[in-house]
Amino acid sequence: MKKLLSALLSSAMVLSLAACGGGGGAASNPPAASNPPAASNPPAASTPAADPMADLIDAAKAEGELVVYGSCEEEYLAAACEKFQELYGIKTTFQRLSTGEVQAKIEEESGNPSADVWFGGTTDPYNVAAAEGLLEPYQAQNASHLMGDQYKDKDGNWYGIYKGILGFMVNKDALERLNLEAPQDWDDLLKPEYKGLIWLSNYNTAGTAKLVINTMIQKKGHDEGIQYLVDLDKNIQVYTKSGSGPSKNVGTGECKIGIGFLHDGITQIVDNGYDNIELIIPSSGTSFEIGATAIFRGAKHPNAAKLWIEYALSPDCVNQAKDYGSYQFLVLDNAEQPQQAADFGLDPNNVMDYDFEDAKNNIKTYIEEVMTALGAAADDRFQTE
């Protein structure tokens, strides 16, 4: 049912909302009273506070359109766009792309983007885009509801909307048939018995994979972190374009061990019925993503884009996530946390102290170093098309 709803929502995005018509006939004027009573002064009433975003809403409606690149899962993306269109009467279209694909696209468009805003996906590619001047800073009013300063860029280039924990998803039945124990930590993934059993996303296209690079370098040090990824490559069967790719193939058994965000595994268990999936948080510690939203510099609909940021930082938007298979922890103090994540024993605070500044400043270099270290394997296994 959710997949059918997603398809309906996706096709609905390309249609404008019908203009709202006025009432039926003209109102009749009642006959004037012969001796109208003297007007009395009503008791003083307090003036309702003006909507602080009224002017922004009016300006956004005048633009009448918004284009969204989304890097969260498509069902949630479609629902979020549909809700925005419903609330404000602004025609909203979207395209689902991985974070690496969005980064590459807006780099190519160089200040003349074909979309207005970016929604969802981990912040490492957002930080690269910000460093290249491709995001438009905006001081969002609803950012006051963020649970901490780590959930926003200090210059207002992006704002966090959710938090996801990096870990392993394994097919319990497949490992039992192979008489293998599930890996419990990062170094376990290098064991020879896991050769050809592990899936990871592509360092060139997926923000999830970029987070894996940064995590290994921060946990192990630069040289050892790069070497770890070279050693891990020997056991990788597939690199998927999107970060959620491994999770989508664990339940079927095509992927025996997937590296990715554990909320994607919850989606496969809860929504798709794959109770043969086990979720594992690495015992020596792991990192986390902040899923973000941002405005592209040069956006064609700048006021609609600002209004989108305010909307994305509100319960109207984020509380929908759990209804569309997205079970990340939310980072707004007025949002409803998804019970499913807690039911699986995930703790949003049980993560390492991730250095976002190092990731922001160095991830492009780190990717190049990993590709160089992998050598010929990088040419064959890391296609971006």
Side-chain angles (χ1 to χ4, degrees):
M1 175 62 75
K2 287 185 179 179
K3 294 190 183 296
L4 175 59
L5 176 59
S6 173
L8 292 173
L9 290 174
S10 298
S11 45
M13 291 300 97
V14 299
L15 301 175
S16 301
L17 290 180
C20 298
S28 59
N29 294 320
S34 56
N35 292 304
S40 59
N41 292 323
S46 59
T47 303
D51 183 348
M53 283 190 275
D55 290 344
L56 176 59
I57 292 171
D58 289 344
K61 287 182 174 180
E63 292 173 349
E65 188 174 351
L66 182 76
V67 182
V68 182
Y69 284 158
S71 300
C72 57
E73 288 304 295
E74 189 158 358
E75 283 186 280
Y76 177 31
L77 171 62
C81 291
E82 174 75 4
K83 182 72 171 180
F84 182 79
Q85 181 168 286
E86 175 189 318
L87 286 172
Y88 300 111
I90 296 170
K91 177 184 176 183
T92 308
T93 57
F94 69 85
Q95 184 177 4
R96 201 281 170 188
L97 298 165
S98 71
T99 50
E101 289 176 308
V102 175
Q103 179 191 327
K105 193 171 181 64
I106 63 168
E107 285 175 339
E108 182 179 347
E109 293 171 343
S110 187
N112 185 31
S114 50
D116 301 300
V117 294
W118 196 351
F119 181 67
T122 187
T123 51
D124 286 329
Y126 281 74
N127 280 325
V128 173
E132 294 174 345
L134 297 173
L135 301 183
E136 182 67 35
Y138 171 61
Q139 300 305 314
Q141 296 180 45
N142 283 340
S144 62
H145 289 289
L146 290 170
M147 293 178 176
D149 288 343
Q150 70 268 38
Y151 300 122
K152 64 181 180 181
D153 176 73
K154 61 184 178 61
D155 297 317
N157 286 296
W158 57 259
Y159 293 94
I161 50 178
Y162 60 75
K163 180 177 184 176
I165 299 174
L166 187 66
F168 315 146
M169 293 151 279
V170 304
N171 185 301
K172 294 181 289 185
D173 297 337
L175 291 188
E176 185 177 348
R177 287 194 298 271
L178 294 168
N179 198 27
L180 293 175
E181 297 290 332
Q184 297 301 312
D185 205 359
W186 295 104
D187 285 349
D188 291 343
L189 297 178
L190 305 184
K191 293 179 178 178
E193 55 261 41
Y194 295 134
K195 184 176 179 62
L197 302 183
I198 301 173
W199 287 31
L200 175 61
S201 47
N202 188 330
Y203 302 127
N204 292 312
T205 61
T208 307
K210 292 175 173 64
L211 181 67
V212 171
I213 292 177
N214 287 319
T215 300
M216 291 301 99
I217 288 175
Q218 291 184 28
K219 281 180 65 65
K220 295 176 173 295
H222 178 274
D223 292 349
E224 288 188 19
I226 299 291
Q227 185 58 50
Y228 173 89
L229 297 170
V230 172
D231 294 339
L232 178 64
D233 179 71
K234 298 179 176 65
N235 285 351
I236 299 290
Q237 180 186 18
V238 173
Y239 290 96
T240 63
K241 182 171 72 171
S242 173
S244 62
S247 71
K248 293 175 179 176
N249 292 277
V250 173
T252 64
E254 187 175 0
C255 168
K256 311 301 188 292
I257 302 168
I259 303 171
F261 292 118
L262 297 182
H263 55 256
D264 290 328
I266 293 177
T267 301
Q268 295 303 313
I269 298 168
V270 172
D271 289 33
N272 296 330
Y274 287 116
D275 56 5
N276 57 352
I277 295 176
E278 180 182 356
L279 308 180
I280 299 169
I281 297 177
S283 59
S284 68
T286 191
S287 61
F288 64 99
E289 70 163 340
I290 298 174
T293 190
I295 300 172
F296 296 125
R297 186 178 292 278
K300 306 297 188 301
H301 309 101
N303 291 300
K306 292 174 184 176
L307 184 59
W308 172 272
I309 299 298
E310 301 292 355
Y311 161 74
L313 296 175
S314 76
D316 280 333
C317 179
V318 299
N319 284 351
Q320 299 179 92
K322 61 183 179 297
D323 299 324
Y324 295 93
S326 292
Y327 301 113
Q328 301 97 328
F329 291 101
L330 304 178
V331 298
L332 300 172
D333 61 19
N334 57 350
E336 298 173 4
Q337 294 296 339
Q339 184 60 41
Q340 292 88 342
D343 289 345
F344 280 89
L346 303 187
D347 179 356
N349 298 312
N350 184 22
V351 289
M352 62 185 275
D353 186 13
Y354 185 75
D355 189 339
F356 285 93
E357 280 302 305
D358 181 75
K360 176 179 179 178
N361 295 330
N362 296 304
I363 184 57
K364 291 191 79 170
T365 299
Y366 292 158
I367 293 171
E368 292 170 359
E369 290 175 334
V370 171
M371 294 294 106
T372 299
L374 288 171
D379 298 330
D380 298 332
R381 308 182 69 195
F382 292 90
Q383 302 301 314
T384 57
E385 297 298 331

